[in-house]
Amino acid sequence: MTNPTGSSPDLSLDQIVELERRAHERELAELAADGDVDNTDDHDTLVLPWWQRPFNIGTILVTAALLAGMIGWLIGDSGAQVKHGEVDTGFLHDMREHHEQAVLMGFIFREVPDTDDGLAVIAASIIQGQSVEVGRMIQLLRDFGEDEAGDGETAMLWMGMSASPLQMPGMASEEQLDQLLGSSGRQADELFVELMTAHHLGGIEMAEYAAENAENDQVRKMATSMADSQRHEIAELAGRLAP
């Protein structure tokens, strides 16, 4: 379908408006040439009603088309129902919190002195990868129409467990994080590997359960990917401490 000027539908709104303005000027010039419009000071010029002016007609039609498209998108979006269940929501809430501690642990390790360069690279990779996954989990929760974070009272219920956030599988305690922050050199390397390995093993346990029991395809695929990547990182961590 062409726009009111007969130009390509790929033209921008500004281009359409400019074409309509030029068409209006040409029309006035033609009317003046035919004697229908007198541009002298002794006579009034012919002024078309606003709803008959080509410029306004074009603008109205373009605006109407844009509004119709927006309304259609909103109706379609509001009518979309994303399949999910208790496991999907619970997993995303708890794994988000689980990931956030891994990111924190990575930042702590990169702040302590005299650590292994290879472990520092792995820590940076964990920070980046799990931060991206947190963003994906938040977006899925939004798509589900769920809160972006858990309430702290229902942690692990989706796995048939009841636990506080610090009792999620693999979560480090505040004392352990403080110990990591106060360490350096080989001691820091060993403590980081110990804490992150336990953390990843807990995450794998959660991810494998979600991969088998979640209802949403994206959640199942994400959980499977998380379990695979964390197994790989555990092997990398162990390899850096090998003599």
Side-chain angles (χ1 to χ4, degrees):
M1 182 178 68
T2 60
N3 59 46
T5 64
S7 58
S8 168
D10 293 331
L11 292 175
S12 69
L13 178 58
D14 289 340
Q15 289 173 320
I16 292 172
V17 168
E18 176 61 19
L19 288 174
E20 294 295 346
R21 184 188 65 79
R22 294 179 183 179
H24 179 50
E25 290 180 350
R26 286 197 301 270
E27 186 171 332
L28 289 178
E30 291 171 0
L31 290 172
D34 293 338
D36 293 331
V37 177
D38 190 342
N39 290 326
T40 65
D41 294 336
D42 297 333
H43 299 84
D44 294 332
T45 59
L46 175 62
V47 179
L48 296 173
W50 70 269
W51 47 269
Q52 289 183 349
R53 298 174 190 173
F55 171 80
N56 291 337
I57 293 173
T59 301
I60 292 169
L61 291 175
V62 171
T63 302
L66 291 173
L67 287 174
M70 290 176 65
I71 292 171
W73 179 84
L74 289 171
I75 292 174
D77 186 67
S78 64
Q81 297 294 325
V82 182
K83 179 182 178 182
H84 70 287
E86 180 183 357
V87 172
D88 302 89
T89 303
F91 169 72
L92 294 175
H93 280 160
D94 290 351
M95 187 58 87
R96 172 189 174 178
E97 191 159 0
H98 205 269
H99 270 30
E100 286 171 345
Q101 191 188 71
V103 170
L104 173 62
M105 201 182 303
F107 275 120
I108 291 174
F109 179 73
R110 287 180 61 83
E111 287 297 316
V112 301
D114 303 322
T115 56
D116 179 77
D117 290 340
L119 285 176
V121 171
I122 295 173
S125 176
I126 291 172
I127 291 170
Q128 179 180 11
Q130 298 212 2
S131 294
V132 170
E133 288 177 347
V134 166
R136 292 178 61 200
M137 288 187 280
I138 290 174
Q139 186 57 55
L140 278 171
L141 287 165
R142 291 174 179 171
D143 292 343
F144 295 164
E146 302 285 356
D147 292 336
E148 294 179 11
D151 57 15
E153 298 179 358
T154 59
M156 304 308 299
L157 290 180
W158 56 279
M159 283 185 68
M161 302 166 58
S162 178
S164 69
L166 290 180
Q167 292 173 324
M168 289 181 194
M171 290 285 276
S173 67
E174 292 294 331
E175 291 77 12
Q176 289 173 319
L177 294 177
D178 288 341
Q179 184 181 358
L180 178 62
L181 183 60
S183 63
S184 63
R186 181 72 178 183
Q187 180 191 20
D189 294 339
E190 293 176 349
L191 186 55
F192 176 69
V193 171
E194 177 187 345
L195 294 178
M196 190 61 78
T197 298
H199 199 276
H200 275 9
L201 288 172
I204 291 170
E205 179 184 352
M206 295 165 67
E208 287 180 337
Y209 186 91
E212 294 180 2
N213 296 280
E215 296 181 23
N216 184 271
D217 289 340
Q218 292 187 63
V219 172
R220 289 198 300 270
K221 290 177 181 177
M222 180 186 295
T224 300
S225 176
M226 286 177 181
D228 291 343
S229 64
Q230 291 185 32
R231 287 192 196 93
H232 179 70
E233 286 172 351
I234 288 174
E236 287 186 321
L237 290 166
R240 292 306 306 180
L241 285 184

